[in-house]
Amino acid sequence: RRVHGLIKVIAAIDELLPDHDRWYHEEVRAYVERAMESRRVVVVGHSLGGGIANIVGASLKTHAVAFSAPGIIAIRKKLNISFADINKFTVNVAPTHDIASHFGERGGITAVVNCDERRPDHCHMPMHAVCDLLTKCGHPYLDARCKYSTQAVLLPFIESALAAIGITMRTST
């Protein structure tokens, strides 16, 4: 039910946007292009921002790292991005039980990280992925015992978005 409600919200928002506003990646791409003139750039993003990071990275042939991002394979032809460039330049960090990272085919390298939380909105928080990576890989300057809040951030947003279009969502915590 939650996924169905989320899809309804996304579809409702999508219908409100004019066609030219749907190409979120263009401004990010222009910014990264300017930055690449003077330095090496790795594009990083989370959720929709991760999808945009992968689009920009693959299209500009610079590395991109996406946390909990949807896949970009389905849109690659429309954006004139080759499958080879997606595979060469993109890295996806996909927590188990996260909803967003399971939308669409990703391409590139995918690192699946563990999330034992019961709620998908908790697994969507980037700190789960970062802490799992630190625990598995370690870091010489950081304490591997990550501490972070699991306060729900996505679910309240979804509930308010659904309420705005007249849909009530019952949840249990």
Side-chain angles (χ1 to χ4, degrees):
R1 289 182 196 196
R2 288 181 184 173
V3 173
H4 181 69
L6 179 60
I7 292 169
K8 279 186 171 183
V9 169
I10 292 169
I13 292 170
D14 189 56
E15 289 301 315
L16 297 173
L17 297 174
D19 284 338
H20 69 277
D21 287 342
R22 293 186 183 161
W23 301 109
Y24 307 104
H25 71 283
E26 289 176 351
E27 287 188 41
V28 176
R29 180 189 162 104
Y31 179 84
V32 171
E33 275 183 308
R34 287 190 304 273
M36 288 175 65
E37 293 172 4
S38 61
R39 61 189 156 256
R40 183 170 176 249
V41 175
V42 176
V43 188
V44 179
H46 171 256
S47 197
L48 177 59
I52 291 170
N54 279 342
I55 289 168
V56 170
S59 68
L60 294 177
K61 298 176 180 15
T62 190
H63 292 282
V65 179
F67 289 85
S68 300
I72 63 167
I73 295 296
I75 197 169
R76 73 181 179 81
K77 288 181 182 177
K78 192 169 194 172
L79 298 175
N80 199 28
I81 300 172
S82 74
F83 188 70
D85 287 340
I86 291 171
N87 285 334
K88 183 175 182 178
F89 294 105
T90 66
V91 175
N92 300 281
V93 181
T96 56
H97 306 112
D98 172 51
I99 294 173
S101 60
H102 291 81
F103 280 110
E105 186 180 348
R106 290 184 287 266
I109 296 170
T110 297
V112 177
V113 295
N114 188 43
C115 179
D116 292 327
E117 294 287 335
R118 292 182 187 160
R119 292 176 45 173
D121 57 323
H122 287 191
C123 291
H124 190 68
M125 295 172 63
M127 282 309 298
H128 278 286
V130 170
C131 287
D132 192 61
L133 290 171
L134 281 175
T135 300
K136 288 178 179 170
C137 303
H139 191 284
Y141 304 112
L142 298 175
D143 185 353
R145 295 169 299 175
C146 286
K147 301 208 183 312
Y148 52 88
S149 171
T150 57
Q151 286 183 339
V153 290
L154 184 59
L155 192 58
F157 169 76
I158 293 169
E159 288 172 336
S160 64
L162 287 171
I165 59 171
I167 299 171
T168 304
M169 190 167 129
R170 282 186 273 158
T171 61
S172 60
T173 55

